Amino acid sequence: MTYSETELTQIEKFASIYLKISDIAVILDIPADVLRNDIADRSTEVSKAYRRGKAASKVKLHSQEMMLAQVGSPLAIENAHRNLLDMEDDE
């Protein structure tokens, strides 16, 4: 399916607030299975927009977690350590 620039922007925005694909599909009046399949194909623009939205929010969350870890929050330190291990596993 071909998505307009407006739809891609909306999908990126919705993904950044972790809205489920099925909910995004309802809002945009797109069959959920079509949107899900298009997002699964990492070469499509819609997949890139969706992943970009998710990644942007992850950056914000990880940044906040690092700030909390640096001031000594035990949970934040544990989560930051787990994030580091995930990062190293992905290298």
Side-chain angles (χ1 to χ4, degrees):
M1 181 171 160
T2 304
Y3 297 86
S4 70
E5 283 301 316
T6 301
E7 288 172 325
L8 292 173
T9 300
Q10 288 179 310
I11 289 166
E12 184 173 336
K13 177 184 161 192
F14 294 146
S16 76
I17 60 171
Y18 304 141
L19 199 62
K20 295 188 303 184
I21 292 173
S22 56
D23 292 334
I24 295 171
V26 168
I27 293 168
L28 298 179
D29 195 27
I30 300 168
D33 58 331
V34 170
L35 181 57
R36 193 171 283 106
N37 288 335
D38 289 345
I39 288 172
D41 179 354
R42 291 182 170 255
S43 68
T44 64
E45 289 305 310
V46 70
S47 178
K48 292 173 186 175
Y50 180 81
R51 290 183 290 120
R52 212 173 20 250
K54 281 178 59 177
S57 286
K58 281 179 92 172
V59 167
K60 290 176 188 175
L61 290 173
H62 282 224
S63 294
Q64 290 174 349
E65 195 131 57
M66 283 302 294
M67 285 190 292
L68 290 171
Q70 290 169 349
V71 297
S73 166
L75 181 58
I77 291 170
E78 182 180 324
N79 288 340
H81 182 255
R82 186 175 32 247
N83 293 339
L84 174 61
L85 294 176
D86 287 346
M87 182 183 182
E88 290 175 345
D89 285 345
D90 193 47
E91 292 175 351

